[in-house]
C-alpha cells in the first residue's frame, strides 16, 4: 500500500512489486507529497516514499486490511515505512506510536513484524501534542504457515535485524517474501581479518519454512587466516528491555571438505551469562550444499539498549575457523490480546458505518476502524470500555450531539453497556423495546430527540434505571396517545412496525458481511 497515493492505477516498482493507493483502506487523514526526496537506499522505492498520509485528527487512526486466504494463513509479515521528507515544512519529524490489532507495536522506522490473524489493523496513535502521525508505506504479506512457528502464534515477533554477508542487500525476487537481508559484508582490509566467502556448491538445499534465499546462504563471513583461533564474534543491541529475544543463525559450508579438514565451533551468548538456549545442542558443523538453522533463544535483556555478543569459538578438533552465513533477530512481543469482545466489535463497526442512522454531522462517528477498545487508552472516542486488558467489553456509548436522524438500529448484542447517551439528536418513532434489555444498564439518556409514542414497559419497569426522556414528543397518558395516533395518522403503528421489520434484515445482511471481514 502506497500511503498518500490516491492513484487508482497500481504502480509497479523496479522489483515488479505492485503498489496500490491507500484510499480503499482508510478514510481519514490528509495526503501529502514530501519536499525532500527519500535517500537512495535500495530498501526504499523513491516513488512510494514520496507520498504519505498524515493524521492531524483523532488520537488514533487505523488501516484495516483483510487477508485473502483465510484458511491457511497463520502468520503474516507486516512492514511499515516512514519518510518524513519535511512534508509539513516544519522540519520537525514527529514521534508517535504504532499499534496492530489492539496491541502496542513499539518499533517505528522500517519495522517488520510477524502477526497472526485474518484481518490486520495497523494503527497510528498520537502520543505527544503537535506530533502528527504519518505513514509512507504499508506492506502485508502471507507467510507459509509453518514459517517462524517455533514461537507460538499468540506472540508477535518484532524485527531487530536480518543480515547477510553478500555485497548488496537481498530482497524480492530472490526472497519470495521480500524480506530485506541487509549486507553486513566486511570492508576490504578490515582489522579483524574478516572476509566474505562464497560457496562453491552447485546447489544449496533449504528444507525449512523460513526459506532464506539461496543468494543469502551462498556467502559467509569467516577469517581470511584459516589457522586463526580468534573467535568470531558479533555484538548487537536491542530494545525494549525485559522482552526475550530470539536469534536465528544460518550456516552452510562453503567448500567441500576432505578429511582431516573439519570446521566445527561452539556458540555462546554473552559468555553464557544469560540463560540462553541454543538448538540444536552441541557443536555446529556447517553442512555443505545444505543449511543448518540454529535457534538462539531465551536471550533476555534487563537493561535499556542491552548488548549481546554472539560468539563462535572453534573446537579443538577443528582445522578451520568459524563462519556464519546469515542472522535474523526478533524481539518476542507481549502476548497478543484477544481483542474487544466480538459482539461489541461487530456492533461498533455497524454503528460506525452509520447504518440505520442518517447522519448530518457524522465526522466523529464515521469510518472508525481498528480494535474499538485496545490498546488502552486509544479506544474509539465515542465509547468507553472496561479495564479487561485481553478481551474488554464496551460499557458506554456516547452518541449525543451528533445530529443523528432516523431509527435507532438494534445494538442489543452489546450487553455489557452501563451507559447509553443519545441525547440531542433527531432519532424518531417509538423508543425501541431492546433498550430495556441491557442487564447492566444504569443510565439511558434519550433527551432532546423526536421519539414518539410511549415508553416501553421493559424500560419503565426498571426502577434502578436513570432515564431521561425530556424534550421528546412522547405521550404520558396511554389513553390519549392511542386516540392521538389514530386520529393523526403518521407515524401510524403499522408504518412503524413495517419500517422496524425492514430495518432488521438490513442488520442481518451487514452483520454477516462483518463476519466475513473479521473471522
Ligand atoms: C511547503 O513548502 C513548499 C515550497 O516552499 C510548498 O510548495 C508547499 O505547499 C508547502 N507545504 C505545506 C504543507 O505548507
Ligand atoms: C500501550 O502504550 C501506551 C502508551 O503509548 C501505554 O499507556 C499502554 O499501557 C500500553 N499498553 C500495553 C498493553 O502495553
Ligand atoms: C587493502 O590492502 C591492499 C594491499 O595492502 C591495498 O592495495 C589496498 O589499496 C587496500 N584497500 C583499501 C580500501 O584500503
Ligand atoms: C594466522 O593465525 C595463526 C594462528 O593465530 C598465526 O600464527 C599466524 O601468524 C597468522 N597468519 C597471518 C598471516 O596473520
Ligand atoms: C531463560 O533464562 C532465564 C535467565 O535469564 C532462566 O531463569 C530461565 O530458566 C531460562 N528459561 C529456560 C526455559 O531455560
Ligand atoms: C564445545 O561444545 C561441546 C559440546 O557441547 C563440548 O563437548 C566442548 O567441550 C566444547 N568445546 C569448547 C572449546 O568449548
Ligand atoms: C446539539 O447537537 C448539535 C449538533 O448536531 C450541536 O450543534 C448543538 O450545539 C447541540 N446542542 C447542545 C445544547 O449541545
Ligand atoms: C434531562 O435532559 C435535559 C435536557 O438535556 C436536562 O435539561 C435535564 O437536566 C435532564 N434531567 C435529568 C434528571 O438529568
Ligand atoms: C388520561 O386521559 C384520559 C382522557 O383525557 C383521562 O380520563 C385520564 O384521567 C388521564 N389519565 C392520567 C393518568 O392522566
Amino acid at each position: 500500500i502506497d500511503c498518500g497515493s490516491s492513484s487508482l492505477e497500481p504502480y509497479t516498482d523496479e522489483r515488479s512489486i505492485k503498489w496500490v493507493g491507500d484510499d480503499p483502506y482508510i478514510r481519514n487523514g490528509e495526503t501529502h507529497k514530501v519536499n525532500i526526496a527519500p535517500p537512495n537506499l535500495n530498501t526504499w522505492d523513491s516513488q512510494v516514499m514520496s507520498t504519505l498520509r498524515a493524521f492531524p485528527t483523532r488520537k488514533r487512526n487505523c488501516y484495516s486490511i483483510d487477508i485473502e486466504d483465510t484458511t491457511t494463513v497463520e502468520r503474516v509479515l507486516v512492514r511499515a515505512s516512514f519518510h518524513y521528507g519535511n512534508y509539513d515544512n516544519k522540519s520537525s519529524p514527529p514521534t508517535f506510536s504504532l499499534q496492530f490489532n489492539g496491541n502496542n507495536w513499539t518499533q517505528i522506522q522500517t519495522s517488520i513484524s510477524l502477526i497472526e490473524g485474518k484481518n490486520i489493523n495497523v494503527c497510528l496513535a498520537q502520543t505527544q501534542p503537535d506530533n502528527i502521525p504519518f505513514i509512507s508505506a504499508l506492506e502485508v504479506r502471507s507467510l507459509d504457515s509453518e514459517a517462524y512457528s517455533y514461537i507460538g502464534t499468540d506472540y508477535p515477533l518484532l524485527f531487530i535485524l536480518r543480515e547477510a554477508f553478500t555485497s548488496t542487500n537481498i530482497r524480492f525476487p530472490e526472497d519470495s517474501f521480500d524480506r530485506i537481508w541487509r549486507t553486513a559484508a566486511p570492508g576490504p582490509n578490515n582489522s579483524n581479518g574478516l572476509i566474505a566467502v562464497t560457496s562453491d556448491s552447485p546447489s544449496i538445499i533449504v528444507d525449512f519454512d523460513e526459506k532464506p534465499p539461496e543468494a543469502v546462504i551462498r556467502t559467509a563471513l569467516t577469517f581470511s587466516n584459516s589457522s586463526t583461533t580468534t573467535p568470531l564474534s558479533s555484538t548487537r543491541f536491542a530494545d525494549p528491555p525485559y522482552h526475550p529475544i530470539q536469534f536465528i543463525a544460518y550456516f552452510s559450508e562453503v567448500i567441500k571438505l576432505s578429511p582431516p579438514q573439519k570446521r566445527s565451533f561452539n556458540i555462546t551468548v554473552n559468555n553464557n551469562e544469560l540463560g540462553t538456549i541454543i538448538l540444536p545442542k552441541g557443536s555446529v558443523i556447517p553442512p555443505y550444499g545444505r543449511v543448518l538453522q540454529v535457534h538462539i533463544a531465551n536471550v533476555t535483556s534487563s537493561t535499556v539498549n542491552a548488548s549481546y555478543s554472539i560468539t563462535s569459538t572453534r573446537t579443538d578438533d577443528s582445522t578451520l575457523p568459524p563462519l556464519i552465513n546469515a542472522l535474523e533477530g526478533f524481539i518476542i512481543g507481549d502476548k497478543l490480546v484477544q481483542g474487544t469482545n466480538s459482539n461489541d466489535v461487530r456492533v461498533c463497526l455497524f454503528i460506525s458505518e452509520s447504518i440505520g442512522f442518517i447522519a448530518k454531522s457524522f465526522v466523529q462517528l464515521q469510518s472508525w476502524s481498528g480494535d474499538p477498545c485496545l490498546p488502552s487508552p486509544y479506544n474509539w472516542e465515542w465509547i468507553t470500555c472496561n479495564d479487561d486488558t485481553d478481551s474488554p467489553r464496551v460499557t458506554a456509548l456516547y452518541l449525543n450531539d451528533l445530529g443523528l436522524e432516523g431509527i435507532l438500529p438494534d445494538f442489543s448484542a452489546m450487553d455489557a453497556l452501563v451507559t447509553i447517551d443519545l441525547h440531542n439528536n433527531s432519532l424518531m418513532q417509538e423508543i425501541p423495546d431492546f433498550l430495556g434489555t441491557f442487564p447492566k444498564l444504569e443510565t439511558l439518556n434519550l433527551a432532546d430527540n423526536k421519539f414518539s409514542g410511549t415508553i416501553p414497559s421493559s424500560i419503565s419497569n426498571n426502577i434502578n434505571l436513570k432515564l431521561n426522556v425530556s424534550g421528546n414528543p412522547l405521550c404520558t397518558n396511554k389513553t390519549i396517545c392511542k386516540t392521538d395516533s389514530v386520529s393523526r395518522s403518521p407515524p401510524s403503528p403499522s408504518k412503524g412496525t413495517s419500517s422496524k421489520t425492514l430495518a432488521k434484515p438490513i442488520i442481518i445482511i451487514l452483520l454477516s458481511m462483518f463476519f466475513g471481514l473479521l473471522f
Side-chain angles (χ1 to χ4, degrees):
I1 299 172
D2 180 0
C3 304
S5 159
S6 45
S7 167
L8 296 174
E9 285 293 304
Y11 158 68
T12 304
D13 71 14
E14 60 184 19
R15 286 183 185 77
S16 316
I17 291 173
K18 268 193 185 148
W19 293 85
V20 294
D22 60 352
D23 283 346
Y25 302 94
I26 195 148
R27 288 199 217 151
N28 309 308
E30 306 169 341
T31 62
H32 290 276
K33 273 197 167 323
V34 299
N35 291 318
I36 301 170
N40 188 19
L41 307 170
N42 78 348
T43 52
W44 278 355
D45 180 87
S46 57
Q47 174 161 341
V48 170
M49 299 308 283
S50 68
T51 56
L52 58 82
R53 186 177 288 265
F55 300 97
T57 62
R58 294 188 186 173
K59 58 186 177 185
R60 177 178 70 160
N61 290 277
C62 301
Y63 282 83
S64 180
I65 300 146
D66 294 332
I67 309 298
E68 270 169 33
D69 181 357
T70 57
T71 52
T72 58
V73 176
E74 284 221 322
R75 288 210 188 245
V76 296
L77 213 121
V78 180
R79 177 162 56 217
S81 308
F82 308 87
H83 171 60
Y84 170 62
N86 201 21
Y87 79 88
D88 55 1
N89 294 339
K90 288 183 182 156
S91 301
S92 164
T95 299
F96 50 89
S97 95
L98 204 60
Q99 310 167 344
F100 62 87
N101 291 20
N103 302 272
N104 280 340
W105 178 8
T106 50
Q107 309 286 102
I108 290 184
Q109 284 227 312
T110 45
S111 299
I112 205 160
S113 172
L114 302 164
I115 303 170
E116 176 202 26
K118 315 286 191 221
N119 170 283
I120 297 297
N121 294 298
V122 173
C123 305
L124 295 98
Q126 183 160 354
T127 51
Q128 294 173 28
D130 302 326
N131 279 246
I132 295 170
F134 75 90
I135 183 165
S136 309
L138 182 60
E139 296 161 74
V140 178
R141 291 187 173 80
S142 298
L143 285 169
D144 290 356
S145 62
E146 294 302 311
Y148 301 98
S149 58
Y150 44 84
I151 302 291
T153 50
D154 43 358
Y155 289 88
L157 297 176
L158 308 174
F159 170 81
I160 314 175
L161 63 92
R162 175 173 292 115
E163 52 191 40
F165 303 96
T166 47
S167 54
T168 57
N169 293 339
I170 302 283
R171 55 186 300 183
F172 188 81
E174 286 86 351
D175 189 317
S176 53
F177 304 122
D178 197 29
R179 289 167 297 190
I180 301 170
W181 300 81
R182 282 176 201 274
T183 170
N189 304 349
N190 71 84
S191 58
N192 309 319
L194 291 168
I195 49 164
V197 290
T198 305
S199 173
D200 63 9
S201 175
S203 68
I204 302 179
I205 298 165
V206 178
D207 54 3
F208 41 84
D209 289 298
E210 286 74 26
K211 293 201 181 99
E214 192 187 308
V216 161
I217 294 305
R218 197 164 267 289
T219 55
L221 181 73
T222 189
F223 290 102
S224 55
N225 179 351
S226 61
S227 321
T228 188
T229 52
T230 314
L232 183 60
S233 189
S234 65
T235 301
R236 297 285 174 260
F237 296 90
D239 253 351
Y242 312 116
H243 282 78
I245 290 168
Q246 169 104 12
F247 293 102
I248 312 170
Y250 300 93
F251 300 100
S252 181
E253 183 52 76
V254 289
I255 41 172
K256 198 168 175 71
L257 303 181
S258 39
Q261 277 186 311
K262 182 172 186 186
R263 194 191 307 271
S264 162
F265 47 92
N266 287 356
I267 297 174
T268 54
V269 177
N270 289 16
N271 289 321
N272 288 330
E273 282 157 16
L274 307 165
T276 307
I277 300 163
I278 296 176
L279 292 173
K281 286 188 159 54
S283 305
V284 174
I285 300 174
Y288 180 71
R290 308 187 74 87
V291 185
L292 172 69
Q293 195 186 32
V294 172
H295 294 273
I296 304 172
N298 199 32
V299 185
T300 307
S301 64
S302 53
T303 55
V304 175
N305 228 359
S307 74
Y308 306 100
S309 287
I310 302 173
T311 303
S312 299
T313 311
R314 68 196 267 175
T315 53
D316 299 339
D317 58 347
S318 180
T319 65
L320 292 164
L323 59 67
I324 181 167
N325 303 64
L327 183 68
E328 286 184 283
F330 299 99
I331 289 169
I332 300 170
D334 289 329
K335 192 163 195 268
L336 295 172
V337 296
Q338 221 181 334
T340 301
N341 174 282
S342 56
N343 282 338
D344 290 357
V345 173
R346 276 202 305 278
V347 181
C348 280
L349 283 173
F350 178 71
I351 293 174
S352 81
E353 294 298 325
S354 321
I355 314 299
F357 299 121
I358 306 159
K360 269 187 181 161
S361 58
F362 241 41
V363 264
Q364 300 93 319
L365 193 52
Q366 243 166 16
S367 60
W368 285 80
S369 57
D371 191 286
C373 296
L374 292 172
S376 168
Y378 299 100
N379 56 286
W380 294 7
E381 283 155 37
W382 45 274
I383 60 170
T384 54
C385 305
N386 65 14
D387 55 11
D388 183 330
T389 51
D390 186 48
S391 188
R393 297 295 314 255
V394 175
T395 54
L397 214 47
Y398 295 101
L399 294 171
N400 48 291
D401 303 312
L402 290 171
L404 302 177
E405 280 184 13
I407 303 159
L408 201 57
D410 187 334
F411 51 86
S412 53
M414 297 175 81
D415 56 10
L417 283 172
V418 176
T419 302
I420 299 171
D421 188 351
L422 294 163
H423 85 268
N424 185 24
N425 285 301
S426 301
L427 299 169
M428 47 191 220
Q429 299 198 1
E430 286 178 29
I431 296 173
D433 263 336
F434 80 82
L435 287 175
T437 63
F438 297 96
K440 296 180 178 160
L441 195 64
E442 289 171 7
T443 305
L444 178 59
N445 190 348
L446 304 175
D448 303 326
N449 274 292
K450 292 183 180 161
F451 287 116
S452 54
T454 54
I455 299 171
S457 53
S458 61
I459 296 175
S460 53
N461 291 345
N462 184 348
I463 49 162
N464 297 320
L465 186 66
K466 255 181 71 190
L467 175 69
N468 191 340
V469 290
S470 78
N472 281 289
L474 289 173
C475 274
T476 40
N477 184 326
K478 284 193 180 170
T479 324
I480 294 176
C481 297
K482 289 224 171 87
T483 342
D484 261 18
S485 56
V486 169
S487 62
R488 274 208 231 128
S489 180
S492 79
S494 70
K495 250 190 178 171
T497 336
S498 76
S499 51
K500 263 186 198 162
T501 44
L502 258 180
K504 280 231 165 109
I506 296 172
I507 294 174
I508 293 159
I509 292 160
L510 280 148
L511 284 183
S512 66
M513 188 183 87
F514 286 128
F515 254 114
L517 223 126
L518 283 164
F519 299 95

